[in-house]
Amino acid sequence: MLSLDNVSFHIGSQKILTDISLTLSKDEMVSLIGPNGAGKSTLVKLILGLNKPTKGKVINHTNVISYVPQKFSVPNILPLRVKDLLAQANPKRLSGDERAFVLDKLSLNPLLDRQIHHLSGGETQRVLMARALLDKPDLLILDEPMQGLDPDSEELLYAFIDGLPPFLACAMLVVSHDLHWVMKGTRRVICLNKHICCQGVPSDIAHLPEFVALFGQYHASHQTPYIHHHDHCQHTH
């Protein structure tokens, strides 16, 4: 679906990302983790085509990419209702029953006539998730979708992501600080700190020195987001 071949992104002499190579296959869920300033948002912008790489190639074989941002705000003077935002999705991508399923599972029917700027953080994220999925994307990018949400909203969205029905199946790239969910809920994890420090299935990378240098020792009983203690990951040759 997507591949990056030795992609670098520099601003002047500042190296934001260096030699990033990765692939994302159909229906695969990949988590992207790393400390603040690691270049996660920059990598997402390169994939979305909002930035051009300084070096290397981004090869995209998808027809539709949907994106759920970290933050979304609407000016108070703009009278945008939930149903107005959702109506912008391509009506031909899903059937009427499939659209109804998305709205029901995300508990959006009671919110359809509400103004976007009157919604809580959890309600806004559910609306953005629905808007992204109503286009039936080949690739769904979620940028810190749970940041700042209350536990109930987190649980609802995690359950929805984990249980997507076949008609919504797509490749997913999830940027997350929730290490417990990342290690439990995804098949492949990419650790980024301006370059790819390590990647692989959670059970394998949790013991790698590069992972431990960034996130400390991980135990399955951990229920809290990770705390970053180091500025640079270690390297093995």
Side-chain angles (χ1 to χ4, degrees):
M1 299 294 289
L2 179 80
S3 63
L4 278 69
D5 183 16
N6 289 317
V7 167
S8 296
F9 183 76
H10 302 163
I11 300 177
S13 61
Q14 185 181 10
K15 297 181 179 181
I16 310 298
L17 291 171
T18 302
D19 295 332
I20 304 295
S21 293
L22 62 88
T23 60
L24 188 61
S25 302
K26 183 179 180 180
D27 299 341
E28 184 181 21
M29 181 186 285
V30 175
S31 290
L32 181 65
I33 61 176
N36 291 333
K40 300 186 296 297
S41 294
T42 299
L43 182 58
V44 168
K45 289 178 182 178
L46 289 169
I47 293 172
L48 292 173
L50 300 176
N51 285 339
K52 299 295 183 183
T54 306
K55 186 186 77 171
K57 294 181 180 180
V58 178
I59 304 169
N60 185 356
H61 298 291
T62 63
N63 294 316
V64 178
I65 298 178
S66 287
Y67 172 58
V68 177
Q70 227 179 98
K71 297 178 182 178
F72 181 79
S73 61
V74 175
N76 291 341
I77 61 172
L78 182 63
L80 181 67
R81 298 167 297 181
V82 170
K83 63 183 179 184
D84 299 327
L85 180 62
L86 298 182
Q88 296 176 27
N90 187 338
K92 297 180 180 180
R93 296 289 290 174
L94 295 180
S95 69
D97 287 344
E98 290 168 343
R99 290 173 65 89
F101 174 91
V102 172
L103 298 185
D104 179 62
K105 287 296 182 181
L106 289 171
S107 302
L108 293 183
N109 288 308
L111 304 179
L112 293 178
D113 290 315
R114 295 266 303 276
Q115 296 287 326
I116 294 289
H117 63 264
H118 288 159
L119 300 180
S120 68
E123 290 169 341
T124 300
Q125 285 303 102
R126 280 154 42 203
V127 171
L128 294 178
M129 183 74 72
R131 173 63 185 85
L133 288 171
L134 289 178
D135 276 330
K136 194 177 182 180
D138 303 307
L139 170 61
L140 175 62
I141 299 177
L142 307 175
D143 190 358
E144 299 284 3
M146 311 303 174
Q147 184 171 340
L149 300 190
D150 61 87
D152 289 341
S153 296
E154 279 192 18
E155 184 177 355
L156 188 153
L157 283 174
Y158 277 141
F160 183 75
I161 293 171
D162 289 339
L164 285 181
F167 71 85
L168 289 176
C170 60
M172 270 193 266
L173 178 65
V174 185
V175 181
S176 180
H177 275 87
D178 187 342
L179 192 60
H180 179 70
W181 180 79
V182 165
M183 300 301 282
K184 183 179 178 181
T186 53
R187 296 178 184 173
R188 181 156 61 102
V189 180
I190 297 174
C191 302
L192 188 72
N193 193 16
K194 299 184 181 296
H195 62 281
I196 294 178
C197 300
C198 58
Q199 62 177 309
V201 297
S203 59
D204 289 342
I205 70 164
H207 307 292
L208 294 178
E210 298 90 346
F211 181 92
V212 174
L214 283 174
F215 313 119
Q217 293 288 343
Y218 173 77
H219 300 284
S221 59
H222 288 178
Q223 297 290 330
T224 57
Y226 68 77
I227 299 173
H228 173 240
H229 298 290
H230 299 267
D231 293 327
H232 300 283
C233 57
Q234 298 175 1
H235 298 274
T236 55
H237 299 282

